[in-house]
Amino acid sequence: MNKPLMWMLIGCLALMPLSSIAQNLDLIAAADSSFEAGDYEQLIADCDAALTEFPDTAFLYYYRGVALSFVGNDDAAMTDLNKAIALESAFPEPFLARARIHYARGDREQAHKDIRLCLKRDAGMREAYLLRAEIYLDEGVLGEAWNDLETARRMVPRDPEVYCLRSEYYLMYGDAAKAVKEAGTAIKLAPDDALGYVAQAMAFEALGDFVNAKSDIDLAIQLEPQEYNLLNTRAMILDAMGDREAALKDLERYIAKDSLAWDAYFTRSWFSMQDSAWQAAEQDLFVAQRLQPELVSIADQLGYLYLLMGEYAKAKSVLDTLVAKDSENAFARANLGYVRLQLGDPDGALKDIQHAIKLDDLEPRAYYYRGAVYHALKKPTKACEDLQTAEELGFIDYYGEAELKALKKKACD
C-alpha cells in the first residue's frame, strides 16, 4: 500500500470507536488479499464493502478501478480511477492504470500523457516504462521503445517481460532470428510463464516456421488455460498453416468462453474478408466494435471492408472519421486515398496516399493504390514502378495475386 495512503487510513481509523476498528481492518485486508490474488470479481465486492466505511480512500477506488477494467467495464473503471486521482494526486498507480485503458481504447496520446504523470510521481516505476515501450512499438517509434526497454532492463535485469518486448522490437526491426533469441531468454528466466512462449511463437511465425510457432502457442495454452485470448493467437497460426477449419474452431471456443472476446470476432471477420464473405465480416466487425467502441483497428478494418465491397460512400464516412481523429494513421489514410480515387478525385487520392507512404513506406497496399492513381492519371511508368514495389514488399503474400495481376495487366501491358 502507498505509504501516504496508509497513514491517511490510520488517521481515519483513529476517529472510529475501538470496537469497530478490527472489523474495518478486516474489510481493508480482504480488499488487499483479493487484489494480490488477482480475484477481480471478489475484489469489486470487497471494495464495495470497504468503501461504505472508508468512502474517501483513494487506493480502494484504484483497486476497484483495476478490477472493473479486468472484467470489461472500462467506463466504470475510469470513473473510479479519476476518483482515486482526485482524492490523492500523488498516488502514481491510478495514472498507470488509466493509461492502460486509454491504450486499450486506441487513444495513445492520452496514454502517453498519463504515463508521463505517473513517472513524474515515481520515476522508478518499471511498469510505466514497459507500457510506454509497448505503445512506442505500436507506433513504430523504435528508438524510443528501445530506450524505455533498456531503462526497465537496468531496473530489473532478469525481468522476462522486458525480453518479450525486446523480441517484439526485433520483429518490427525486421530481425526475426534475434526476436526468437530474446523470447528464448524470457523462457529461460520464467519457464512456467506463458508470455515467453507467446513471444517466441510470434517470432517463429515471422520466420515462416509455423510448426514451432504452433508448438509454442500450444505450450502457452497449457500453462494458462484460462487465458482464452491465446486461442485467437493459435487461430491465426493455424490459418497460416492452411487449417482454416481448426482456426475457426479455436475462435468459436474462445467466443463461447469469453463474452468480451472482441479479438475473436475481429480475426474471424478477417478470415471472412479473405473469402469475400462480406456480410459475415461486417457482422463480426459490428460485434467487435460494440465490445470495443474506441478501438481504432476495428474501425480501420471496417473502412477497408467497405472499400473491398465497393461501398465507397460508407468507406469514406468511416475513414474520414478515423483520419480526423488520428492524422498519422497510415493504413486509414491510404485506404481513404483509394476511396477518393473511386469517387472521382484522383488529385485528393494522390495527396492522401503520398502522405500514407511517408508515414509507412513498407505497406505494399499503399504502393498498389498509388499505382492505381497514376494509371488513372495516365502515367504508366510511375504506375508500373509502384506496382512493382508493391509486389516486392509482399503484396501477393498479404493480399493475394489476382488483384495485383489485374491492375498490372491494365497499367503495364
Side-chain angles (χ1 to χ4, degrees), residues 128-301:
Y129 292 104
L130 289 176
L131 177 60
R132 191 165 67 182
E134 188 176 347
I135 296 170
Y136 280 137
L137 287 172
D138 188 31
E139 294 172 331
V141 186
L142 299 187
E144 295 295 338
W146 185 258
N147 290 339
D148 278 345
L149 288 174
E150 283 296 279
T151 300
R153 188 182 63 82
R154 285 192 294 270
M155 290 177 178
V156 184
R158 296 180 63 79
D159 181 357
E161 187 177 354
V162 171
Y163 293 95
C164 288
L165 286 172
R166 282 164 63 104
S167 178
E168 185 177 343
Y169 166 87
Y170 280 117
L171 274 182
M172 295 194 65
Y173 193 73
D175 193 337
K178 280 189 177 179
V180 169
K181 183 178 178 181
E182 295 289 342
T185 300
I187 291 169
K188 288 177 184 177
L189 291 170
D192 295 327
D193 189 334
L195 195 61
Y197 296 100
V198 175
Q200 190 166 264
M202 296 299 94
F204 277 131
E205 184 181 17
L207 285 172
D209 185 349
F210 301 119
V211 173
N212 274 319
K214 183 179 180 297
S215 176
D216 276 330
I217 206 65
D218 285 344
L219 278 169
I221 290 170
Q222 289 174 24
L223 288 167
E224 295 287 351
Q226 303 305 311
E227 292 292 331
Y228 299 117
N229 61 301
L230 295 177
L231 294 168
N232 185 67
T233 305
R234 188 168 67 183
M236 291 187 286
I237 293 170
L238 286 166
D239 189 65
M241 296 175 77
D243 195 345
R244 175 67 60 82
E245 183 179 355
L248 288 171
K249 285 181 179 177
D250 266 350
L251 295 179
E252 288 162 7
R253 182 182 166 205
Y254 180 17
I255 289 167
K257 293 288 187 179
D258 187 348
S259 62
L260 302 176
W262 69 268
D263 47 342
Y265 292 100
F266 182 80
T267 300
R268 194 167 67 180
S269 75
W270 178 247
F271 292 167
S272 295
M273 288 166 69
Q274 290 176 321
D275 294 335
S276 301
W278 310 127
Q279 298 305 318
E282 184 183 39
Q283 290 306 308
D284 274 341
L285 285 174
F286 285 162
V287 176
Q289 198 164 54
R290 188 182 74 244
L291 293 170
Q292 285 285 348
E294 303 298 325
L295 201 59
V296 170
S297 58
I298 299 172
D300 258 341
Q301 191 148 303

Side-chain angles (χ1 to χ4, degrees), residues 15 80 112 117 131 136 186 202 287 291 317 344 355 372 379 413:
L15 300 175
D80 272 357
H112 275 300
L117 291 168
L131 177 60
Y136 280 137
M202 296 299 94
V287 176
L291 293 170
S317 176
H355 190 174
K379 297 181 178 181
D413 286 356

